[in-house]
């Protein structure tokens, strides 16, 4: 529950502070350094209510409903920072089940950089996953990641194939185990009608045993339909599906749904 209040407070603070920095143009000058001026180019946040905590490795970390909120600040030269918080319904805010493993809360802090090299877009960074799980002696996780992508546009449709490497390193505790995931996929998006837009994506990834799961190859599919309530805000419905292709014992077909509210400041 503390994580939920923390996220709401951070998003409220960003909302209150960002207009004070507002200037003409897309950049908000913050302060000067000996190496140049640091300018905030984008501040955004969202909260998503998922039917369950469906992890990026195709497993369900928690079968109870999960509220997941995120805030991202981007500055010049492609640098960005992100705070992501997840809290489950067993914390008491909507009365979840008590007969499942208590995953608890999670707070992820990420710093990274985006850019373009030889006409290929890249996104590299590091994340620290703080996992508050009182019923198990599990530790936190450091994630290193690198992603290469290239976008192609046909009319109003944009297709973005990508490849991504993720390395997971435990910091303490018996679990999770270290491991690596390699993802190959593509995202497709564009307008539907009026203020509606869509995005769909699919990927195949290999997990060599990160988080202590059996190695295997899995597939992910996701979809999103969004409605722009203003030039800065939107609401959306999301769906996520994953299934093992080979190996990956202990994981099975999973289908999750969500509702999301997002805004840019």
């Amino acid at each position: 529950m503390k994580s939920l209040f923390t996220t709401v407070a951070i998003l409220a603070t960003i909302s209150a502070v960002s207009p004070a920095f507002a200037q003409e143009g897309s950049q908000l000058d913050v302060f000067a350094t000996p190496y140049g001026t640091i300018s905030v180019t984008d501040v955004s946040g969202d909260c998503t209510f998922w039917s369950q905590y469906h992890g990026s490795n195709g497993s369900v970390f928690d079968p109870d409903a999960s509220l997941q909120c995120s805030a991202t600040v981007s500055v010049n030269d492609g640098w960005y920072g992100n705070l992501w918080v997840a809290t489950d319904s067993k914390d008491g805010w909507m009365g979840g089940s008590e007969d499942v493993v208590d995953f608890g809360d999670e707070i992820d802090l990420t710093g990274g950089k985006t850019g373009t090299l030889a006409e290929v877009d890249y996104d590299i960074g590091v994340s620290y996953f703080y996992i508050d799980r009182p019923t198990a002696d599990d530790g936190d996780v450091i994630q290193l990641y690198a992603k290469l992508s290239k976008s192609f546009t046909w009319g109003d449709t944009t297709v973005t194939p990508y490849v991504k490497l993720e390395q997971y390193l435990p910091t303490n505790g018996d679990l999770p185990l270290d491991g690596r995931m390699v993802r190959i996929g593509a995202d497709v998006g564009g307008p539907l009608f009026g203020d509606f837009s869509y995005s769909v994506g699919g990927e195949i990834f290999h997990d060599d045993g990160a988080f202590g799961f059996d190695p295997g190859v899995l597939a992910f599919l996701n979809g999103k339909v969004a409605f722009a309530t203003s030039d800065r805000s939107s609401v959306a419905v999301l769906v996520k599906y994953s299934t093992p292709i080979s190996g990956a014992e202990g994981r099975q077909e999973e289908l999750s749904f969500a509702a999301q509210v997002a805004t840019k400041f």
Side-chain angles (χ1 to χ4, degrees):
M1 193 65 179
K2 292 181 180 178
S3 298
L4 174 59
F5 286 130
T6 300
T7 303
V8 173
I10 290 173
L11 292 177
T13 300
I14 293 173
S15 179
V17 171
S18 57
F21 290 110
Q23 300 179 3
E24 293 183 1
S26 60
Q27 292 190 338
L28 312 176
D29 288 344
V30 180
F31 56 87
T33 74
Y35 305 100
T37 300
I38 295 179
S39 300
V40 176
T41 58
D42 186 78
V43 180
S44 61
D46 64 72
C47 279
T48 309
F49 184 73
W50 281 99
S51 57
Q52 58 184 353
Y53 187 164
H54 190 167
S56 62
N57 68 340
S59 67
V60 172
F61 289 137
D62 197 321
D64 281 318
S66 175
L67 180 62
Q68 302 175 2
C69 296
S70 174
T72 302
V73 178
S74 301
V75 299
N76 50 320
D77 296 328
W79 294 96
Y80 63 89
N82 173 267
L83 168 68
W84 184 90
V85 178
T87 184
D88 64 30
S89 58
K90 291 186 296 302
D91 287 337
W93 52 271
M94 68 169 289
S97 62
E98 297 293 342
D99 58 348
V100 297
V101 174
D102 186 3
F103 182 80
D105 295 336
E106 179 182 346
I107 301 176
D108 299 350
L109 296 173
T110 300
K113 187 182 189 307
T114 61
T116 302
L117 184 64
E119 298 186 351
V120 175
D121 297 327
Y122 67 85
D123 182 0
I124 57 175
V126 58
S127 300
Y128 186 93
F129 301 164
Y130 167 74
I131 302 172
D132 178 18
R133 186 175 176 183
T135 59
D137 185 24
D138 290 355
D140 301 336
V141 181
I142 293 176
Q143 179 203 55
L144 307 175
Y145 62 89
K147 180 179 181 180
L148 299 176
S149 62
K150 176 74 173 178
S151 294
F152 304 90
T153 301
W154 292 276
D156 292 331
T157 302
T158 299
V159 180
T160 306
Y162 63 85
V163 58
K164 185 177 183 182
L165 172 65
E166 302 168 353
Q167 178 69 48
Y168 295 89
L169 305 169
T171 61
N172 59 286
D174 297 328
L175 288 173
L177 301 178
D178 62 347
R180 182 181 301 109
M181 297 186 196
V182 180
R183 305 176 184 273
I184 299 175
D187 297 317
V188 181
L192 282 175
F193 54 86
D195 293 321
F196 285 91
S197 61
Y198 77 95
S199 62
V200 294
E203 68 176 27
I204 295 176
F205 70 95
H206 177 263
D207 178 0
D208 72 355
F211 295 96
F213 288 88
D214 289 334
V217 177
L218 298 95
F220 245 117
L221 297 173
N222 61 78
K224 176 179 178 179
V225 174
F227 174 76
T229 57
S230 71
D231 59 346
R232 294 185 175 185
S233 302
S234 64
V235 294
V237 292
L238 301 87
V239 61
K240 182 191 298 184
Y241 171 79
S242 66
T243 184
I245 297 176
S246 66
E249 281 76 10
R251 281 171 280 188
Q252 59 187 8
E253 284 187 289
E254 301 289 353
L255 182 64
S256 305
F257 301 92
Q260 182 184 76
V261 177
T263 188
K264 289 187 175 182
F265 302 101

